[in-house]
Amino acid sequence: MKYSTLPHTDIEVSKICLGTMTWGKQNTEEEGHEQMDYALDQGVNFFDTAELYPVPAEAERYGHTEKIIGSWFKKNGNRDKVVLASKIAGNGDYTKFIRSTGFSRASIIEAVEGSLQRLQTDYIDLYQLHWPERNTNYFGKRGYEHEITDYWEDNFHQVLETLRDLIREGKIRHVGISNETPWGTMRYLEESKVHATLPRTITIQNPYNLLNRLFEVGLAEVSMREKIGLLAYSPLGFGALSGKYLGGRMPEGSRVSLFPRFDRYNGEIATKATQKYYELAQANDLSLAQMALAFVNTRPFVTSNIIGATSIKQLAENIASIDVSLSEDVLKGIESVHNSIPNPAP
């Protein structure tokens, strides 16, 4: 395994992060425990979860993924071997069963306390805001459209004050954001620069893969200049970049077959790009999945690559991508495809 350091800390994390979004819906508790055992044995010490998980979110399964992680900690007593990240859910039609008060002080405290209880731990190493409260372009929306009905009021300062207090109490150690824009990212950073007592945002968790490199438009420069690390999620585009949907296939039990609304990486243009990437991988004796993951692993702004799997076989292949080196010819081939079909899946 290879490691990096969470920016502005001395915390060393594996370049591969174990994503947990399927545990409690597509995976059982036993399977979740098996994945954590395997990942830790392979040197993966960074786990990412959220109060919202598993996804798709539903009231009956709320927090179930965190409970699976918590029961694993209790069984093995190895909390100290893991750098743990979790998130508070933002507002949305599909999160009203959690709460409808956004990132108010009471909401953040309630969310953190609930996660700590489910995770059976006294602290969370990295606590993240899952997505912005304001209306903006996240979750598959390519461009920003200003909405005059957006009643959000600027509360960056208040949010950071609450997180600061939770850090002082020892319940969380560091702060991150997710599904953010350059404007939102800079606002959080500027608040902590102007007000020295407020915690600095150290990571941003956004989608990044061969079919969606929009992070490079604006946020990559912010990441490099401000030293805020990308935790790249969906590096395989909901499985599309494994190639399993090519040729019109729809494997039984696959994510898109189970949840058709998660099809943003399977449109006509995205599929055309995936086919080209598949042919490039085949021509260079690589699997498409490992080529796609290896590309993400080597980007200079990526602190860790969040991989997920529903089987140990998938997990093993994904983790092994850390040892895959891409030749200059492969990298040039990737850029050629990207330049001809840029970002087909927002």
Side-chain angles (χ1 to χ4, degrees):
M1 183 50 59
K2 296 176 182 176
Y3 298 87
S4 59
T5 302
L6 288 178
H8 308 281
T9 79
D10 58 359
I11 300 174
E12 191 175 71
V13 294
S14 48
K15 288 288 289 187
I16 298 291
C17 175
L18 181 62
T20 63
M21 186 173 69
T22 61
W23 304 351
K25 190 178 287 281
Q26 288 176 264
N27 288 105
T28 64
E29 179 178 45
E30 182 181 3
E31 289 169 341
H33 286 195
E34 184 183 17
Q35 287 194 29
M36 286 184 278
D37 288 338
Y38 181 84
L40 198 61
D41 284 345
Q42 300 303 308
V44 175
N45 73 337
F46 193 19
F47 296 179
D48 178 74
T49 191
E51 66 167 341
L52 185 72
Y53 296 165
V55 169
E58 57 184 7
E60 294 75 16
R61 292 283 177 170
Y62 165 63
H64 204 69
T65 302
E66 289 186 325
K67 291 178 182 177
I68 289 173
I69 297 171
S71 65
W72 183 76
F73 283 147
K74 183 178 181 180
K75 180 177 73 173
N76 296 297
N78 54 11
R79 172 66 183 90
D80 61 333
K81 296 180 180 179
V82 173
V83 179
L84 181 64
S86 194
K87 315 177 196 74
I88 178 177
N91 281 335
D93 290 339
Y94 52 93
T95 58
K96 288 180 179 177
F97 66 85
I98 300 176
R99 67 184 71 83
S100 59
T101 48
F103 296 153
S104 68
R105 180 179 179 84
S107 291
I108 294 173
I109 293 172
E110 175 191 291
V112 168
E113 295 286 1
S115 288
L116 290 173
Q117 182 178 22
R118 289 185 293 272
L119 291 163
Q120 300 195 52
T121 183
D122 296 326
Y123 67 98
I124 297 168
D125 296 285
L126 177 66
Y127 197 66
Q128 305 154 101
L129 308 174
H130 209 152
W131 62 88
E133 288 184 281
R134 65 191 191 280
N135 293 327
T136 188
N137 51 315
Y138 55 86
F139 293 145
K141 186 176 178 182
R142 190 187 302 274
Y144 172 71
E145 297 175 9
H146 192 68
E147 299 179 22
I148 59 173
T149 56
D150 182 1
Y151 298 110
W152 169 79
E153 294 183 3
D154 189 321
N155 62 344
F156 289 94
H157 188 92
Q158 294 92 323
V159 167
L160 290 175
E161 277 188 329
T162 303
L163 293 170
R164 175 200 63 196
D165 293 344
L166 288 164
I167 290 172
R168 288 175 174 174
E169 293 175 25
K171 294 177 179 177
I172 63 177
R173 296 179 68 190
H174 299 283
V175 174
I177 51 180
S178 181
N179 297 296
E180 257 297 358
T181 66
W183 183 82
T185 302
M186 289 304 301
R187 280 300 316 279
Y188 280 113
L189 292 172
E190 288 303 312
E191 283 293 331
S192 61
K193 288 180 182 179
V194 173
H195 305 281
T197 64
L198 297 182
R200 194 187 199 287
T201 303
I202 65 169
T203 58
I204 177 170
Q205 184 176 148
N206 276 31
Y208 184 74
N209 56 60
L210 291 176
L211 300 175
N212 180 348
R213 293 168 57 178
L214 291 171
F215 189 86
E216 296 174 9
V217 185
L219 276 167
E221 182 179 11
V222 173
S223 175
M224 297 299 291
R225 295 190 185 279
E226 300 291 335
K227 295 181 174 55
I228 175 170
L230 173 62
L231 307 180
Y233 79 79
S234 290
L236 291 179
F238 292 163
L241 286 165
S242 70
K244 63 185 177 184
Y245 300 116
L246 291 176
R249 295 192 299 270
M250 184 59 66
E252 184 178 352
S254 63
R255 190 158 189 78
V256 176
S257 71
L258 293 172
F259 315 114
R261 69 185 181 91
F262 291 109
D263 65 347
R264 76 181 72 150
Y265 295 101
N266 294 88
E268 181 180 351
I269 300 175
T271 299
K272 182 179 178 181
T274 300
Q275 180 66 41
K276 288 182 177 293
Y277 286 124
Y278 174 78
E279 292 167 1
L280 176 64
Q282 290 290 293
N284 289 274
D285 297 321
L286 295 166
S287 77
L288 174 55
Q290 288 203 330
M291 184 182 82
L293 292 171
F295 176 77
V296 175
N297 292 341
T298 57
R299 298 305 90 191
F301 43 78
V302 171
T303 293
S304 194
N305 185 2
I306 305 174
I307 56 98
T310 53
S311 71
I312 289 294
K313 181 180 178 181
Q314 290 176 340
L315 184 63
E317 181 182 16
N318 292 351
I319 292 175
S321 70
I322 198 66
D323 296 317
V324 174
S325 297
L326 301 181
S327 68
E328 285 300 315
D329 286 343
V330 171
L331 291 171
K332 287 178 181 178
I334 287 173
E335 291 307 310
S336 178
V337 177
H338 177 64
N339 288 334
S340 64
I341 313 177
N343 300 315

